Amino acid sequence: MKQLTSAEVRQLWLDFWQTKGHSVEPSASLIPVQDPSLLWINSGVATLKKYFDGSVVPENPRITNSQKSIRTNDIENVGVTARHHTLFEMLGNFSIGDYFKAEVIPWAWEFLTDEKWLGLDPSKLYMTYYPEDTETVALWKSTTGLTDDHYVPVEDNFWDLGAGPCGPDTEIFYDRGEKYQDLPDEDPEMYPGGENERYLEIWNIVFSQFNHLPNGEYVPLKHKNIDTGMGLERMVSVIQDTPTNFETDLFMPIIEAVQALGTKAKYGDTKLTDVSFKVIADHIRAVTFAIGDRALPSNEGRGYILRRLIRRAIMHGRRLGIKGNFLAQLVPVVADIMEAYYPEVKADQSFIQDVIVTEENRFNETINEGEAIIEEVISSLKAAHEKLMPGEQAFKLYDTYGFPLELTQEYLEQAGIEVELSGFEKSMQEQRERARAARKSSTGMAVQSDILGEIDVDSVYVGYDQLEVETRINTILADDAFVSLAQAGSEVYVVADQTPFYAEMGGQIADTGVIVDENDQLIGKVVNVVRAPGGQHLHEVVLEAPLVLDQTVVLKVDRRRHHSIEKNHTATHLLHQALKDVLGDHANQAGSLVTENHLRFDFSHFGQVTPDELVEMEAKVNQAIADAFPVVTTVTTIDKAKAAGAQALFGEKYGNEVRMVDVNHWSIELCGGTHVANTAEIGVFKITSESGIGAGVRRIEAVTSLAAIQEYQQQEAILKELAEGLKVKKFFNLVGRFAQFREEHKETVQQLGALRDKMNAQAAGQIFDQVEEVGGLTIIAQNVPNCSMDDLRKIADEWKQKASSDVLVLATSAEEKANLLIAVSPKAIEAGVKAGDMIKQVAPKIGGGGGGRPDMAQAGGKNPAGIADALAFAKEIIAK
């Protein structure tokens, strides 16, 4: 067997399939930035789904790739098993209705065994197959010439997700030898396809030849597909003969870098510490790539999963004795390992590290919060004489704060408390089921859209230069069928030889307009335009008159609406560059929307955008408009465009030929949208809002031209109303008048505060006379109506200074809400009375909850009627 690095294995794969006529599909972004709603459970797997379901027709039906993917549905297995990862690379080759079994099986054997490629020992390879798929096993036998024991029928070898394309599959296993066989020969699972460590699955070839209909019927597909995948990490472990994937050159440099951070253990010392090394090595790979693909930590969706990965890695670092931040230091190691195929990781290294450092700092604070929560739980359980922590609470610490179960158990063990493991496992199982359901829904292929895939007419978009064109209708779709005549009143989809209508894409909405006949009589209204799988512009039309196939018509775009969209689209380009100038190069586009009324621009940025920065951005855009820069659009090659400094939008796929939009060599972007010819056409640009829409992602909304003027007019009307209310004649006098008004308001508030303090002092004097003796302690328990919690705290401060009693219990109510405060003297604390414990028992009486320190605690609730019961119950507690 050859000795190969992981980079060499990946490259051999791509080289081999190119010799078989395959095109290399670039590794897609883990997180499609144009779809921020996508839940990040098993992204990357569906990168070619658009070809299999017929929504897009590939230029070449033969495709190969190495696709990075993230799967986090069973994260707890990472580091425990030999080959479980969150981020992994799937080497794939695909046939979209082209070759099938007779071609792919000999090719697979050639790649695995030929010395020019991997050169594996043929005698160590075993193939499983679906028992009814006799064609496949016959092809394997004729191709390999191996004895019959190398072909194993397995009932599960049928790929079916419940609906859509499906079919039998064949799996290829590698015999790693007896040294990986822990159990004796009579182990019932010791065979290729069984649960064992000896026979390792390295390749799965799916023969997608049936369509599973909703009624349960399986019908043959018109176009049969090949969908195949080889796990790079597994294949490298075979080539490099390592016990697990983690000893390969994909992970060991990271593990060695972790050891160099000053761990108290070394890799290989114990199984427990090895798990921590593996978790860190695995998670930093996933985190690095995810952030590089502009996923950012947050509390929901894919951002939550990313945050959880970071926190799990940090917790395992603490187990190894690593103090302080360390994860960001591992990013350069990942970048070095993956640079051969993913140079963008090294290019984004600083940005990725900044994100991780920010998250590490935040989690170090969170760890302290989690420890405080555990201490509070321990205190509550002790007060209730309980020795068992509910499993749901332990799971919340695990899921929300990143506390592994065993760490929680360590904290509780010192207090003689155990975790209710059945409750924890139940919560864990519920989360697994949610993840499994999400994974299933995100990876299933849709039923093939045959009708759209069959549109094979030519259609040319001419809207960059013309907004009205005479042309011929070459396709009419009505009720999911091709028709030659559509009647008035129907809604149809239409394709024409030429069209001036822009189809919705790249954040720009579609053009609308009309179809008229040669006499300018209305035929129908174009309400939307989308791209068909073959690239044709598909017009959604509401017909006012009959439409006939091959009819000559005139397509007219709504000019005013089109020009408004153009102005807003060019303004997004100017804004993008202004963002980079003001905030820095990290401010990359993360989504956009361009309509006739306004524009929306999402971008990556940590921290707030200050008002001054917004003013500067707006000024830069308006300066570019005032300078009347020409907007030059050039069709060129991708390499020439990049050499000219053009920005490619992250997550977008570009062909060899691209459109480059250049505004005075200041803003240069690759873009297929429509634009003004000169920035002066935009007129004016006005930012209307700026906000955060997720961790590290912000959004600017803006208007241009007449819409911007209307925005200024509305603001002017508001200023006029304010001026009249504050009785000033000119707008610029508003600032001075407002400052005067604010000072007067401040004085009024101070006077009211002084009066309230005086009232509190009088009330306190009366309260402090109401001392009772309960259970050997003195207590003041009073209802003080119409006070704030701040008032109660001030009364408590005075009580503390005067030492009026051992325990103080105050209650108040206002606007159907109730508040409680309990203060306890050192003497009472010595006697076993703690304010924090006591408030938790009393607060339910007012329909609420609270907490605090042993000497002072507070609570709020929604049941003022329960105040009398709360005060009485407080006395009962002390009496006991």
Side-chain angles (χ1 to χ4, degrees), residues 573 629-634 644 659-670 677 679:
H573 283 222
F629 292 137
V631 179
V632 179
T633 302
T634 307
R659 292 183 78 249
M660 182 173 68
V661 180
D662 185 345
V663 183
N664 197 46
H665 309 302
W666 175 59
S667 166
I668 311 176
E669 292 191 22
L670 303 183
T679 57

Short mmCIF file of all heavy atoms in Angstrom, two decimals, residues 573 629-634 644 659-670 677 679:
data_model
loop_
_atom_site.label_atom_id
_atom_site.label_comp_id
_atom_site.label_asym_id
_atom_site.label_seq_id
_atom_site.Cartn_x
_atom_site.Cartn_y
_atom_site.Cartn_z
N HIS A 573 -23.95 48.29 -3.78
CA HIS A 573 -22.52 48.14 -4.08
C HIS A 573 -21.72 49.28 -3.43
O HIS A 573 -20.65 49.06 -2.84
CB HIS A 573 -22.30 48.15 -5.59
CG HIS A 573 -22.66 46.86 -6.26
ND1 HIS A 573 -21.89 46.29 -7.25
CD2 HIS A 573 -23.71 46.03 -6.09
CE1 HIS A 573 -22.46 45.17 -7.66
NE2 HIS A 573 -23.58 44.99 -6.98
N PHE A 629 -19.98 59.17 -10.89
CA PHE A 629 -19.06 58.17 -11.44
C PHE A 629 -19.78 57.30 -12.47
O PHE A 629 -20.92 56.88 -12.26
CB PHE A 629 -18.54 57.25 -10.33
CG PHE A 629 -17.61 57.93 -9.36
CD1 PHE A 629 -17.73 57.69 -7.99
CD2 PHE A 629 -16.60 58.77 -9.81
CE1 PHE A 629 -16.88 58.30 -7.10
CE2 PHE A 629 -15.74 59.38 -8.91
CZ PHE A 629 -15.88 59.15 -7.55
N PRO A 630 -19.13 56.99 -13.58
CA PRO A 630 -19.72 56.03 -14.52
C PRO A 630 -19.71 54.63 -13.91
O PRO A 630 -18.76 54.26 -13.19
CB PRO A 630 -18.80 56.11 -15.74
CG PRO A 630 -17.51 56.62 -15.21
CD PRO A 630 -17.84 57.53 -14.06
N VAL A 631 -20.76 53.85 -14.18
CA VAL A 631 -20.84 52.48 -13.71
C VAL A 631 -20.56 51.59 -14.92
O VAL A 631 -21.39 51.48 -15.83
CB VAL A 631 -22.21 52.17 -13.11
CG1 VAL A 631 -22.27 50.71 -12.64
CG2 VAL A 631 -22.51 53.12 -11.94
N VAL A 632 -19.38 50.99 -14.94
CA VAL A 632 -18.92 50.24 -16.11
C VAL A 632 -19.11 48.75 -15.86
O VAL A 632 -18.60 48.20 -14.88
CB VAL A 632 -17.44 50.54 -16.41
CG1 VAL A 632 -16.99 49.73 -17.63
CG2 VAL A 632 -17.24 52.03 -16.65
N THR A 633 -19.86 48.10 -16.75
CA THR A 633 -20.09 46.66 -16.65
C THR A 633 -19.31 45.95 -17.74
O THR A 633 -19.43 46.29 -18.92
CB THR A 633 -21.59 46.34 -16.78
OG1 THR A 633 -22.30 47.03 -15.75
CG2 THR A 633 -21.83 44.85 -16.63
N THR A 634 -18.51 44.96 -17.34
CA THR A 634 -17.66 44.24 -18.28
C THR A 634 -17.89 42.73 -18.13
O THR A 634 -17.95 42.22 -17.01
CB THR A 634 -16.17 44.53 -18.01
OG1 THR A 634 -15.97 45.94 -17.98
CG2 THR A 634 -15.29 43.90 -19.08
N ALA A 644 -8.41 42.15 -11.31
CA ALA A 644 -8.78 43.56 -11.29
C ALA A 644 -9.23 44.02 -9.91
O ALA A 644 -9.51 45.20 -9.71
CB ALA A 644 -9.89 43.82 -12.31
N ARG A 659 -19.82 38.79 -14.96
CA ARG A 659 -20.07 40.22 -15.17
C ARG A 659 -19.42 40.98 -14.02
O ARG A 659 -19.67 40.68 -12.85
CB ARG A 659 -21.56 40.54 -15.24
CG ARG A 659 -22.25 39.97 -16.45
CD ARG A 659 -23.71 40.37 -16.50
NE ARG A 659 -23.89 41.74 -16.97
CZ ARG A 659 -24.29 42.77 -16.24
NH1 ARG A 659 -24.56 42.60 -14.95
NH2 ARG A 659 -24.44 43.97 -16.75
N MET A 660 -18.60 41.93 -14.35
CA MET A 660 -17.91 42.74 -13.35
C MET A 660 -18.45 44.16 -13.39
O MET A 660 -18.48 44.81 -14.45
CB MET A 660 -16.40 42.74 -13.63
CG MET A 660 -15.58 43.52 -12.61
SD MET A 660 -13.79 43.31 -12.89
CE MET A 660 -13.59 44.19 -14.47
N VAL A 661 -18.93 44.65 -12.23
CA VAL A 661 -19.49 46.00 -12.13
C VAL A 661 -18.46 46.88 -11.42
O VAL A 661 -18.13 46.66 -10.25
CB VAL A 661 -20.82 45.98 -11.36
CG1 VAL A 661 -21.40 47.40 -11.27
CG2 VAL A 661 -21.82 45.05 -12.04
N ASP A 662 -17.96 47.88 -12.16
CA ASP A 662 -16.86 48.73 -11.67
C ASP A 662 -17.34 50.17 -11.54
O ASP A 662 -17.77 50.79 -12.51
CB ASP A 662 -15.69 48.65 -12.66
CG ASP A 662 -14.45 49.40 -12.17
OD1 ASP A 662 -14.56 50.21 -11.23
OD2 ASP A 662 -13.37 49.18 -12.74
N VAL A 663 -17.27 50.71 -10.30
CA VAL A 663 -17.62 52.10 -10.06
C VAL A 663 -16.35 52.87 -9.72
O VAL A 663 -15.87 52.84 -8.58
CB VAL A 663 -18.65 52.23 -8.91
CG1 VAL A 663 -19.05 53.70 -8.72
CG2 VAL A 663 -19.88 51.38 -9.19
N ASN A 664 -15.75 53.49 -10.73
CA ASN A 664 -14.57 54.34 -10.56
C ASN A 664 -13.41 53.61 -9.87
O ASN A 664 -12.63 54.23 -9.15
CB ASN A 664 -14.94 55.61 -9.77
CG ASN A 664 -13.90 56.70 -9.90
OD1 ASN A 664 -13.44 56.98 -11.01
ND2 ASN A 664 -13.52 57.31 -8.80
N HIS A 665 -13.29 52.29 -10.08
CA HIS A 665 -12.22 51.48 -9.47
C HIS A 665 -12.26 51.54 -7.94
O HIS A 665 -11.30 51.15 -7.28
CB HIS A 665 -10.84 51.93 -9.97
CG HIS A 665 -10.74 51.99 -11.45
ND1 HIS A 665 -10.99 50.91 -12.28
CD2 HIS A 665 -10.44 53.03 -12.29
CE1 HIS A 665 -10.83 51.27 -13.53
NE2 HIS A 665 -10.52 52.54 -13.58
N TRP A 666 -13.36 52.04 -7.39
CA TRP A 666 -13.53 52.10 -5.92
C TRP A 666 -14.36 50.91 -5.45
O TRP A 666 -13.96 50.18 -4.56
CB TRP A 666 -14.20 53.42 -5.54
CG TRP A 666 -14.54 53.53 -4.07
CD1 TRP A 666 -13.68 53.45 -3.02
CD2 TRP A 666 -15.84 53.73 -3.51
NE1 TRP A 666 -14.35 53.58 -1.82
CE2 TRP A 666 -15.69 53.78 -2.09
CE3 TRP A 666 -17.11 53.89 -4.04
CZ2 TRP A 666 -16.77 53.97 -1.22
CZ3 TRP A 666 -18.19 54.10 -3.17
CH2 TRP A 666 -18.01 54.14 -1.78
N SER A 667 -15.48 50.71 -6.10
CA SER A 667 -16.31 49.55 -5.83
C SER A 667 -16.29 48.65 -7.06
O SER A 667 -16.76 49.04 -8.13
CB SER A 667 -17.75 49.98 -5.51
OG SER A 667 -18.63 48.88 -5.57
N ILE A 668 -15.72 47.44 -6.91
CA ILE A 668 -15.66 46.49 -8.03
C ILE A 668 -16.19 45.15 -7.52
O ILE A 668 -15.61 44.55 -6.62
CB ILE A 668 -14.22 46.30 -8.55
CG1 ILE A 668 -13.53 47.65 -8.79
CG2 ILE A 668 -14.22 45.48 -9.83
CD1 ILE A 668 -12.08 47.53 -9.20
N GLU A 669 -17.30 44.70 -8.09
CA GLU A 669 -17.91 43.45 -7.65
C GLU A 669 -18.35 42.61 -8.83
O GLU A 669 -18.66 43.13 -9.90
CB GLU A 669 -19.13 43.72 -6.75
CG GLU A 669 -18.80 44.34 -5.41
CD GLU A 669 -19.99 44.34 -4.46
OE1 GLU A 669 -20.91 43.50 -4.67
OE2 GLU A 669 -20.02 45.15 -3.53
N LEU A 670 -18.39 41.30 -8.62
CA LEU A 670 -18.99 40.38 -9.59
C LEU A 670 -20.48 40.38 -9.34
O LEU A 670 -20.92 40.15 -8.21
CB LEU A 670 -18.43 38.98 -9.43
CG LEU A 670 -16.91 38.84 -9.57
CD1 LEU A 670 -16.50 37.38 -9.45
CD2 LEU A 670 -16.43 39.41 -10.89
N ALA A 677 -26.34 53.55 -15.17
CA ALA A 677 -25.15 53.81 -16.00
C ALA A 677 -24.22 54.79 -15.32
O ALA A 677 -23.01 54.81 -15.60
CB ALA A 677 -25.57 54.34 -17.37
N THR A 679 -23.62 56.94 -11.34
CA THR A 679 -24.08 57.03 -9.95
C THR A 679 -25.00 58.23 -9.72
O THR A 679 -25.85 58.20 -8.81
CB THR A 679 -22.89 57.12 -8.98
OG1 THR A 679 -22.08 58.25 -9.33
CG2 THR A 679 -22.05 55.85 -9.03
#
